[in-house]
């Protein structure tokens, strides 16, 4: 049959093929300790092995949802699970390179460069960076790591801000008469004389009232929040109002991360927001174990040692800040 065809795993460089094989084992979350030890030996045998695995990790993170972008193109629909889609790529069978490139512009792998929405931000923080922004005749906004905002004024006279991604704490002084409106992930928060915390991860937004009162609007519904109350909204709609411990929500402003009986998989996802590269759990059961810790964000890499000591796990350190725990 003439013409070119997608590269299959059989035609990959042997080292690249081995690296992708290891990544598939770890992504499935069922690699045992013996396999992890074998991987460590393979990785240490040649620097090219560790580099190949790091490349595979970056591509896995970047191109997993590429098929969803491609699905928007007019073609015959095929039901494919995310794992199957990633298997196709890691085997070299991803044909939708244009869709992949479009996805990379929206969500760069491991945050290696700003996404297109982030490039239009008026204020943006990098990995592990935090900063305070005093808006003209408006609120004080504290930006957490990997946070981007756009600031504008609207005809109503309200201070207007869009949280593109990340997390921000907004404080409105009592002497500021005009309202503050913050848009995030398809919804908005309207407030006066209050403080609140807003976190945007993709289409999921968590709004927390710390003092005063705020109104959260999404999808034609709204919720009134008072101090120590929180609500989440996403493509699934506006969730119920819950009572929370504000100290947990605002710990980042004090320079701390705090975990109380948090599944390790969730804790690692949070830790990854504050560091370059990626910590990867190679064992699904390990990710379900509960983690308790309080540590300084500026000492973020020390948490790996703490996890190692708490759970007796093996640690493999690779280039580009990639750490395997299993």
């Amino acid at each position: 049959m003439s013409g070119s065809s997608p590269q299959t795993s059989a035609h990959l460089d042997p080292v690249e093929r081995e690296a992708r094989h290891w990544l598939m084992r770890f992504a499935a979350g069922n690699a045992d300790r013996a396999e992890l030890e074998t991987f460590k030996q393979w990785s240490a045998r040649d620097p090219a092995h560790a580099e190949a695995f790091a490349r595979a990790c970056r591509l896995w993170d970047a191109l997993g949802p590429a098929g969803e972008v491609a699905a928007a193109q007019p073609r015959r629909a095929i039901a494919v699970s995310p794992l199957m889609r990633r298997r196709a790529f890691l085997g070299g069978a991803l044909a939708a390179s244009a869709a992949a490139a479009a996805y990379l512009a929206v969500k760069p792998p491991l945050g290696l460069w700003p996404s297109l929405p982030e490039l239009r931000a008026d204020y943006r923080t990098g990995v592990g960076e935090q900063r305070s922004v005093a808006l003209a005749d408006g609120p004080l906004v504290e930006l957490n790591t990997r946070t981007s905002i756009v600031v504008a004024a609207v005809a109503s006279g309200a201070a207007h801000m869009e949280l593109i991604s990340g997390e921000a704490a907004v404080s409105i002084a009592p002497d500021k008469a005009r309202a503050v409106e913050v848009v995030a992930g398809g919804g908005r928060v309207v407030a006066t004389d209050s403080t609140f915390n807003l976190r945007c991860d993709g289409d999921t937004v968590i709004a927390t009232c710390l003092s005063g009162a705020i109104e959260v609007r999404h999808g034609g519904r709204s919720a009134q929040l008072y101090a120590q109350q929180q609500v989440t909204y996403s493509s699934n709609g506006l969730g119920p109002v819950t009572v929370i411990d504000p100290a947990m929500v605002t710990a980042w402003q004090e320079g701390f991360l705090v975990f109380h009986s948090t599944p390790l998989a969730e804790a690692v996802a949070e830790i990854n927001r504050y560091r370059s590269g990626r910590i990867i759990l190679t064992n699904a059961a390990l990710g379900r174990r509960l983690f308790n810790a309080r540590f300084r964000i500026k000492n973020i890499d020390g948490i790996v040692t703490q996890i190692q000591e708490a759970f007796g796990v093996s640690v493999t350190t690779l280039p580009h800040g990639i750490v395997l725990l299993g």
Side-chain angles (χ1 to χ4, degrees):
M1 185 174 186
S2 63
S4 61
S5 61
Q7 182 187 37
T8 65
S9 60
H11 295 101
L12 290 172
D13 177 275
V15 172
E16 298 287 343
R17 187 164 61 248
E18 288 182 86
R20 296 180 185 192
H21 163 78
W22 281 115
L23 180 55
M24 289 306 304
R25 291 294 299 161
F26 296 146
N30 56 11
D32 58 26
R33 190 175 293 272
E35 286 180 297
L36 186 56
E37 186 60 35
T38 301
F39 168 79
K40 290 169 65 177
Q41 294 172 7
W42 174 84
S43 180
R45 191 177 307 140
D46 188 328
H49 292 182
E51 288 285 351
F53 185 79
R55 286 194 298 273
C57 288
R58 292 197 300 273
L59 292 170
W60 171 273
D61 183 78
L63 294 175
E68 295 166 355
V69 179
Q73 308 301 321
R75 64 181 67 186
R76 185 169 59 91
I78 301 176
V80 183
S81 73
L83 182 58
M84 290 171 62
R85 192 175 298 121
R86 288 184 172 185
R87 283 184 186 276
F89 170 73
L90 291 172
L94 180 65
S97 57
Y103 176 72
L104 286 176
V106 176
K107 184 184 177 185
L110 302 181
L112 294 178
W113 59 82
S115 66
L116 289 180
E118 289 173 323
L119 287 176
R120 68 182 178 85
D122 294 312
Y123 301 95
R124 179 161 50 88
T125 55
V127 178
E129 180 187 4
Q130 297 175 344
R131 65 180 295 192
S132 296
V133 178
L135 303 185
D137 194 29
L140 174 67
V141 182
E142 295 189 53
L143 307 181
N144 199 2
T145 178
R146 302 177 188 251
T147 297
S148 299
I149 64 171
V150 173
V151 179
V154 293
S156 64
H160 181 89
M161 182 182 88
E162 179 184 356
L163 178 63
I164 299 173
S165 63
E167 185 171 26
V170 182
S171 301
I172 309 170
D175 59 344
K176 303 297 182 182
R178 64 178 184 170
V180 172
E181 181 181 73
V182 183
V183 174
R188 65 191 61 232
V189 174
V190 180
T192 56
D193 187 15
S194 60
T195 60
F196 59 94
N197 193 90
L198 198 60
R199 175 165 170 171
C200 180
D201 292 321
D203 76 335
T204 300
V205 176
I206 303 173
T208 307
C209 183
L210 302 172
S211 70
I214 63 174
E215 183 181 9
V216 180
R217 304 170 183 171
H218 179 267
R221 298 180 57 202
S222 66
Q224 192 79 11
L225 271 61
Y226 300 94
Q228 301 184 31
Q229 290 186 331
Q230 183 180 88
V231 72
T232 299
Y233 63 80
S234 66
S235 56
N236 294 323
L238 184 67
V241 175
T242 60
V243 177
I244 52 86
D245 178 2
M248 292 286 290
V249 177
T250 61
W252 65 267
Q253 294 177 262
E254 306 298 324
F256 287 92
L257 284 184
V258 181
F259 301 106
H260 287 163
S261 297
T262 304
L264 186 58
E266 295 180 16
V268 166
E270 181 68 9
I271 293 164
N272 280 331
R273 296 176 63 218
Y274 293 85
R275 65 185 300 278
S276 300
R278 179 64 57 92
I279 298 174
I280 300 172
L281 295 178
T282 65
N283 185 298
L286 176 62
R288 293 190 290 269
R289 297 183 64 178
L290 302 183
F291 185 52
N292 295 280
R294 174 185 171 90
F295 62 95
R296 291 189 176 277
I297 293 172
K298 67 180 182 180
N299 299 327
I300 191 71
D301 286 326
I303 194 62
V304 173
T305 301
Q306 192 167 342
I307 294 174
Q308 182 181 26
E309 294 175 348
F311 298 104
V313 298
S314 175
V315 176
T316 302
T317 303
L318 297 170
H320 309 291
I322 294 174
V323 177
L324 301 181
L325 296 178

